[in-house]
Amino acid sequence: MEQFSSSPPPLAKRPRLSNEGCSPDKESDRNVLVTQLAQTVEELRARQATLEATVARLTSAVADPAPAESPALASIVVLNVGGVHYTTTRATLCQYPDTMLGAMFSGKYALTLMKDGSVFIDRDGQLFQHVLQFLRSQRWVLPSHDAYQTELIKCEADYFGLPWPLPEFLVETAAPSKRLEAHMHGINAMAVAGDFLVTASGSMRVWDKDGNRHFELDRREIRAVLPWRDGILAVSKSGGMHWYNDSFDYMGRYSLSSAPPDNTVETAVLWRDSVAIACLEDQLLRVWHESDIDTVLPGDHDFAEALDVWDDNLVAGLADGNINLWAPDFKNLHTLSGHRSAVICLVVWNSKLCSGSMDKTVRLWSAGPHWECTTVIDTGRPSFAMAVWHDSLVTSDFRRSLAFWNEQGECRRTVTSAATVDIRCLCVWHDGDMLVTGNDDGEMCFWRGTMQKY
């Protein structure tokens, strides 16, 4: 670094000038000295200019840096969310000005910084990655296999005031509105008959809309309860079909003529003016007509664990993961493949077939001529039962919870049942206003809810 002094360098000593008694020679010497003095002044001025330039250059080199920009206005922002650090931009955080983050980094409010210069937010650091992803892409990327995780992400969206595009299923209470100890054993089947609900277990019981039990109809082990001739048809484990009229008077019994006596019924469904029944021992599907004639459906297939009717065709979910379809003329129409394990429940929703499997997925299928799988929902757990309620697909699982899905496979909501055992069956009642769950311990729970949009 250059060394310099603030005082000018010493000048050479020159004789003192005087006008007293000046001779011509002395006058000449005086003029020389004046010239020399003028030159010295010019030299000093040049030296001063050089020194000032040097001082200015050195001052600029060691000058203090500019004051740090406010974190609320800085273009790059470091966040500390529950101990997890994120680096993003102020523009990203202000994508939605009317939200909490948009207000924080608008520049209107002073922010307290951590020692490392980050802004601390007391929320779940792992979940915040979904919030930041939404701010960057304006799209929620949700884990379809985990409805509980989706619910946690929605809580973060609510906290930060971010838009949530999915319709929200609102259950009136966190617990069911009513619980009944309906049976001593697990509930196998439920059906609506007029204003009444019929449940089946080791016995069959009838309930009114207030949850009062009116009748106990049968003590046989019933596998299916079907609406029939303004009354009900109860299909027992042994294959007997018991008809009750709209007053629940016993009207008679029917049986399968082609089934061996020791055959066991797995499930049954109404199909046109007949009843389709799946038998376990011989793995055959039989169609019984009220004329007391039953027909064995053709096809080499595994035994059926679930039955439904889709576009007037009979659908069977099989233990090998396939789904077989039969036309009304009993011809084998098509086989849907895709599940890797047994198909245990079926339901039709908005003209699509929904199949729930032990492979922890639910598949949505479009009807012919292509019979394609349009959506695969990774539920994370096998679905015991399914129903359609308020334009949502409802599934029950091993964790005794209900999940509500849209047709894109996005989870709208999850509700944990008050039951301590698995939910075996679902039924929609009260003109669609109520969902009823039948549990493995014989308990019945009633749920009310509505769909709302943000």
Side-chain angles (χ1 to χ4, degrees), residues 369-401:
H370 302 295
W371 310 100
E372 295 176 324
C373 177
T374 59
T375 307
V376 178
I377 302 175
D378 186 356
T379 57
R381 293 172 291 277
S383 298
F384 274 160
M386 296 190 297
V388 176
W389 190 34
H390 291 295
D391 200 33
S392 291
L393 177 66
V394 187
T395 60
S396 66
D397 58 40
F398 284 120
R399 291 190 179 179
R400 302 175 293 280
S401 64

Tab-separated table of all heavy atoms in Angstrom, residues 369-401:
chain	number	residue	atom	x	y	z
A	369	PRO	N	-66.756	-51.225	-26.294
A	369	PRO	CA	-66.126	-52.451	-26.794
A	369	PRO	C	-64.694	-52.687	-26.343
A	369	PRO	O	-64.146	-53.759	-26.578
A	369	PRO	CB	-66.182	-52.253	-28.312
A	369	PRO	CG	-66.080	-50.766	-28.482
A	369	PRO	CD	-66.823	-50.171	-27.327
A	370	HIS	N	-64.064	-51.687	-25.712
A	370	HIS	CA	-62.634	-51.851	-25.390
A	370	HIS	C	-62.399	-52.408	-23.986
A	370	HIS	O	-61.356	-53.004	-23.727
A	370	HIS	CB	-61.908	-50.506	-25.556
A	370	HIS	CG	-62.023	-49.930	-26.924
A	370	HIS	ND1	-61.477	-50.535	-28.035
A	370	HIS	CD2	-62.635	-48.797	-27.361
A	370	HIS	CE1	-61.738	-49.799	-29.116
A	370	HIS	NE2	-62.440	-48.736	-28.726
A	371	TRP	N	-63.323	-52.166	-23.045
A	371	TRP	CA	-63.192	-52.693	-21.691
A	371	TRP	C	-61.833	-52.324	-21.090
A	371	TRP	O	-61.060	-53.169	-20.683
A	371	TRP	CB	-63.366	-54.214	-21.675
A	371	TRP	CG	-64.584	-54.708	-22.379
A	371	TRP	CD1	-64.628	-55.222	-23.639
A	371	TRP	CD2	-65.921	-54.731	-21.882
A	371	TRP	NE1	-65.908	-55.575	-23.967
A	371	TRP	CE2	-66.735	-55.285	-22.895
A	371	TRP	CE3	-66.519	-54.351	-20.692
A	371	TRP	CZ2	-68.101	-55.453	-22.747
A	371	TRP	CZ3	-67.885	-54.532	-20.542
A	371	TRP	CH2	-68.658	-55.071	-21.553
A	372	GLU	N	-61.555	-51.023	-21.026
A	372	GLU	CA	-60.240	-50.560	-20.582
A	372	GLU	C	-60.254	-50.143	-19.118
A	372	GLU	O	-61.265	-49.665	-18.598
A	372	GLU	CB	-59.779	-49.369	-21.429
A	372	GLU	CG	-59.550	-49.704	-22.891
A	372	GLU	CD	-59.187	-48.460	-23.696
A	372	GLU	OE1	-59.732	-47.387	-23.391
A	372	GLU	OE2	-58.351	-48.587	-24.608
A	373	CYS	N	-59.108	-50.283	-18.473
A	373	CYS	CA	-58.905	-49.738	-17.140
A	373	CYS	C	-58.500	-48.275	-17.294
A	373	CYS	O	-57.466	-47.969	-17.886
A	373	CYS	CB	-57.824	-50.519	-16.392
A	373	CYS	SG	-57.452	-49.846	-14.758
A	374	THR	N	-59.316	-47.363	-16.786
A	374	THR	CA	-59.064	-45.930	-16.968
A	374	THR	C	-58.312	-45.306	-15.805
A	374	THR	O	-57.617	-44.306	-15.977
A	374	THR	CB	-60.398	-45.188	-17.148
A	374	THR	OG1	-61.217	-45.401	-15.983
A	374	THR	CG2	-61.130	-45.699	-18.377
A	375	THR	N	-58.447	-45.865	-14.609
A	375	THR	CA	-57.810	-45.292	-13.421
A	375	THR	C	-57.410	-46.406	-12.468
A	375	THR	O	-58.170	-47.363	-12.276
A	375	THR	CB	-58.766	-44.331	-12.682
A	375	THR	OG1	-59.266	-43.351	-13.597
A	375	THR	CG2	-58.064	-43.630	-11.530
A	376	VAL	N	-56.215	-46.274	-11.877
A	376	VAL	CA	-55.780	-47.187	-10.826
A	376	VAL	C	-55.551	-46.353	-9.571
A	376	VAL	O	-54.745	-45.425	-9.568
A	376	VAL	CB	-54.486	-47.935	-11.214
A	376	VAL	CG1	-54.046	-48.848	-10.061
A	376	VAL	CG2	-54.700	-48.749	-12.480
A	377	ILE	N	-56.271	-46.672	-8.515
A	377	ILE	CA	-56.133	-45.970	-7.232
A	377	ILE	C	-55.325	-46.856	-6.294
A	377	ILE	O	-55.735	-47.974	-5.982
A	377	ILE	CB	-57.502	-45.664	-6.606
A	377	ILE	CG1	-58.357	-44.821	-7.564
A	377	ILE	CG2	-57.330	-44.949	-5.270
A	377	ILE	CD1	-59.765	-44.579	-7.056
A	378	ASP	N	-54.184	-46.357	-5.878
A	378	ASP	CA	-53.356	-47.094	-4.923
A	378	ASP	C	-53.828	-46.728	-3.521
A	378	ASP	O	-53.454	-45.700	-2.974
A	378	ASP	CB	-51.886	-46.727	-5.126
A	378	ASP	CG	-50.952	-47.565	-4.273
A	378	ASP	OD1	-51.463	-48.379	-3.479
A	378	ASP	OD2	-49.728	-47.407	-4.390
A	379	THR	N	-54.657	-47.570	-2.939
A	379	THR	CA	-55.247	-47.259	-1.634
A	379	THR	C	-54.304	-47.543	-0.480
A	379	THR	O	-54.544	-47.117	0.641
A	379	THR	CB	-56.543	-48.065	-1.432
A	379	THR	OG1	-56.244	-49.457	-1.554
A	379	THR	CG2	-57.577	-47.686	-2.481
A	380	GLY	N	-53.238	-48.293	-0.715
A	380	GLY	CA	-52.276	-48.593	0.337
A	380	GLY	C	-52.675	-49.768	1.207
A	380	GLY	O	-51.842	-50.345	1.899
A	381	ARG	N	-53.953	-50.157	1.173
A	381	ARG	CA	-54.464	-51.278	1.962
A	381	ARG	C	-55.603	-51.926	1.187
A	381	ARG	O	-56.290	-51.246	0.419
A	381	ARG	CB	-54.952	-50.797	3.334
A	381	ARG	CG	-53.844	-50.289	4.231
A	381	ARG	CD	-54.387	-49.649	5.484
A	381	ARG	NE	-55.075	-48.405	5.227
A	381	ARG	CZ	-54.479	-47.228	5.092
A	381	ARG	NH1	-53.167	-47.146	5.192
A	381	ARG	NH2	-55.174	-46.134	4.864
A	382	PRO	N	-55.847	-53.206	1.375
A	382	PRO	CA	-56.989	-53.840	0.695
A	382	PRO	C	-58.298	-53.191	1.118
A	382	PRO	O	-58.470	-52.793	2.273
A	382	PRO	CB	-56.912	-55.301	1.160
A	382	PRO	CG	-55.497	-55.500	1.597
A	382	PRO	CD	-55.052	-54.187	2.153
A	383	SER	N	-59.215	-53.081	0.194
A	383	SER	CA	-60.534	-52.510	0.477
A	383	SER	C	-61.523	-53.640	0.707
A	383	SER	O	-61.751	-54.474	-0.168
A	383	SER	CB	-60.994	-51.635	-0.688
A	383	SER	OG	-60.106	-50.551	-0.877
A	384	PHE	N	-62.115	-53.684	1.911
A	384	PHE	CA	-63.097	-54.706	2.243
A	384	PHE	C	-64.419	-54.475	1.512
A	384	PHE	O	-65.079	-55.413	1.084
A	384	PHE	CB	-63.366	-54.707	3.749
A	384	PHE	CG	-62.404	-55.545	4.533
A	384	PHE	CD1	-62.242	-55.343	5.890
A	384	PHE	CD2	-61.665	-56.534	3.930
A	384	PHE	CE1	-61.363	-56.117	6.628
A	384	PHE	CE2	-60.790	-57.321	4.644
A	384	PHE	CZ	-60.631	-57.107	6.004
A	385	ALA	N	-64.845	-53.214	1.436
A	385	ALA	CA	-66.158	-52.899	0.870
A	385	ALA	C	-66.096	-51.546	0.177
A	385	ALA	O	-65.220	-50.719	0.471
A	385	ALA	CB	-67.219	-52.886	1.967
A	386	MET	N	-67.038	-51.324	-0.751
A	386	MET	CA	-67.109	-50.055	-1.468
A	386	MET	C	-68.569	-49.643	-1.620
A	386	MET	O	-69.471	-50.481	-1.649
A	386	MET	CB	-66.465	-50.173	-2.854
A	386	MET	CG	-64.982	-50.470	-2.839
A	386	MET	SD	-64.215	-50.304	-4.477
A	386	MET	CE	-65.075	-51.596	-5.376
A	387	ALA	N	-68.772	-48.334	-1.717
A	387	ALA	CA	-70.098	-47.782	-1.981
A	387	ALA	C	-69.913	-46.433	-2.665
A	387	ALA	O	-68.814	-45.854	-2.640
A	387	ALA	CB	-70.904	-47.623	-0.691
A	388	VAL	N	-70.965	-45.924	-3.282
A	388	VAL	CA	-70.944	-44.601	-3.910
A	388	VAL	C	-71.841	-43.695	-3.092
A	388	VAL	O	-73.027	-43.985	-2.882
A	388	VAL	CB	-71.423	-44.674	-5.372
A	388	VAL	CG1	-71.488	-43.266	-5.964
A	388	VAL	CG2	-70.494	-45.557	-6.188
A	389	TRP	N	-71.265	-42.592	-2.607
A	389	TRP	CA	-71.998	-41.670	-1.733
A	389	TRP	C	-71.564	-40.253	-2.049
A	389	TRP	O	-70.369	-39.940	-2.026
A	389	TRP	CB	-71.716	-42.015	-0.269
A	389	TRP	CG	-72.572	-41.311	0.734
A	389	TRP	CD1	-73.875	-40.944	0.581
A	389	TRP	CD2	-72.207	-40.911	2.056
A	389	TRP	NE1	-74.342	-40.332	1.713
A	389	TRP	CE2	-73.340	-40.310	2.645
A	389	TRP	CE3	-71.040	-41.006	2.805
A	389	TRP	CZ2	-73.330	-39.798	3.935
A	389	TRP	CZ3	-71.036	-40.506	4.096
A	389	TRP	CH2	-72.165	-39.911	4.648
A	390	HIS	N	-72.540	-39.371	-2.331
A	390	HIS	CA	-72.266	-37.959	-2.658
A	390	HIS	C	-71.221	-37.856	-3.764
A	390	HIS	O	-70.277	-37.055	-3.695
A	390	HIS	CB	-71.800	-37.192	-1.430
A	390	HIS	CG	-72.858	-37.005	-0.396
A	390	HIS	ND1	-73.987	-36.259	-0.598
A	390	HIS	CD2	-72.969	-37.502	0.866
A	390	HIS	CE1	-74.738	-36.273	0.483
A	390	HIS	NE2	-74.153	-37.030	1.380
A	391	ASP	N	-71.387	-38.657	-4.815
A	391	ASP	CA	-70.507	-38.649	-5.977
A	391	ASP	C	-69.053	-38.921	-5.607
A	391	ASP	O	-68.127	-38.444	-6.250
A	391	ASP	CB	-70.601	-37.321	-6.734
A	391	ASP	CG	-70.096	-37.457	-8.168
A	391	ASP	OD1	-70.271	-38.547	-8.751
A	391	ASP	OD2	-69.510	-36.482	-8.689
A	392	SER	N	-68.847	-39.662	-4.545
A	392	SER	CA	-67.513	-40.124	-4.156
A	392	SER	C	-67.531	-41.638	-4.071
A	392	SER	O	-68.551	-42.247	-3.726
A	392	SER	CB	-67.103	-39.555	-2.789
A	392	SER	OG	-66.877	-38.176	-2.861
A	393	LEU	N	-66.403	-42.242	-4.382
A	393	LEU	CA	-66.240	-43.669	-4.143
A	393	LEU	C	-65.721	-43.833	-2.717
A	393	LEU	O	-64.687	-43.275	-2.355
A	393	LEU	CB	-65.244	-44.269	-5.136
A	393	LEU	CG	-64.936	-45.757	-4.936
A	393	LEU	CD1	-66.174	-46.600	-5.202
A	393	LEU	CD2	-63.780	-46.196	-5.826
A	394	VAL	N	-66.462	-44.573	-1.908
A	394	VAL	CA	-66.089	-44.787	-0.509
A	394	VAL	C	-65.505	-46.189	-0.375
A	394	VAL	O	-66.116	-47.164	-0.829
A	394	VAL	CB	-67.300	-44.641	0.433
A	394	VAL	CG1	-66.862	-44.689	1.893
A	394	VAL	CG2	-68.052	-43.352	0.139
A	395	THR	N	-64.340	-46.282	0.248
A	395	THR	CA	-63.713	-47.585	0.490
A	395	THR	C	-63.458	-47.748	1.986
A	395	THR	O	-63.163	-46.778	2.685
A	395	THR	CB	-62.381	-47.722	-0.270
A	395	THR	OG1	-61.473	-46.699	0.166
A	395	THR	CG2	-62.590	-47.586	-1.767
A	396	SER	N	-63.564	-48.976	2.455
A	396	SER	CA	-63.199	-49.291	3.838
A	396	SER	C	-62.010	-50.239	3.811
A	396	SER	O	-61.872	-51.045	2.893
A	396	SER	CB	-64.372	-49.950	4.576
A	396	SER	OG	-64.671	-51.218	4.019
A	397	ASP	N	-61.143	-50.142	4.832
A	397	ASP	CA	-59.909	-50.911	4.784
A	397	ASP	C	-59.601	-51.580	6.117
A	397	ASP	O	-60.381	-51.517	7.063
A	397	ASP	CB	-58.735	-50.019	4.358
A	397	ASP	CG	-58.544	-48.825	5.280
A	397	ASP	OD1	-58.691	-48.987	6.505
A	397	ASP	OD2	-58.249	-47.727	4.792
A	398	PHE	N	-58.416	-52.204	6.173
A	398	PHE	CA	-58.012	-52.939	7.359
A	398	PHE	C	-57.809	-52.033	8.569
A	398	PHE	O	-57.816	-52.505	9.700
A	398	PHE	CB	-56.707	-53.696	7.090
A	398	PHE	CG	-56.894	-54.944	6.263
A	398	PHE	CD1	-56.265	-55.086	5.045
A	398	PHE	CD2	-57.709	-55.960	6.707
A	398	PHE	CE1	-56.429	-56.231	4.284
A	398	PHE	CE2	-57.882	-57.109	5.957
A	398	PHE	CZ	-57.248	-57.244	4.742
A	399	ARG	N	-57.600	-50.746	8.343
A	399	ARG	CA	-57.362	-49.836	9.463
A	399	ARG	C	-58.657	-49.237	10.011
A	399	ARG	O	-58.633	-48.262	10.743
A	399	ARG	CB	-56.408	-48.713	9.028
A	399	ARG	CG	-54.992	-49.196	8.772
A	399	ARG	CD	-54.065	-48.020	8.579
A	399	ARG	NE	-52.698	-48.445	8.343
A	399	ARG	CZ	-51.681	-47.619	8.125
A	399	ARG	NH1	-51.885	-46.320	8.132
A	399	ARG	NH2	-50.472	-48.079	7.908
A	400	ARG	N	-59.782	-49.796	9.577
A	400	ARG	CA	-61.076	-49.367	10.073
A	400	ARG	C	-61.351	-47.896	9.760
A	400	ARG	O	-61.945	-47.178	10.544
A	400	ARG	CB	-61.197	-49.624	11.585
A	400	ARG	CG	-61.010	-51.082	11.948
A	400	ARG	CD	-61.024	-51.289	13.444
A	400	ARG	NE	-59.876	-50.683	14.098
A	400	ARG	CZ	-58.675	-51.238	14.138
A	400	ARG	NH1	-58.466	-52.398	13.539
A	400	ARG	NH2	-57.673	-50.651	14.737
A	401	SER	N	-60.878	-47.465	8.593
A	401	SER	CA	-61.120	-46.088	8.174
A	401	SER	C	-61.855	-46.078	6.845
A	401	SER	O	-61.837	-47.052	6.089
A	401	SER	CB	-59.798	-45.322	8.045
A	401	SER	OG	-59.001	-45.884	7.024
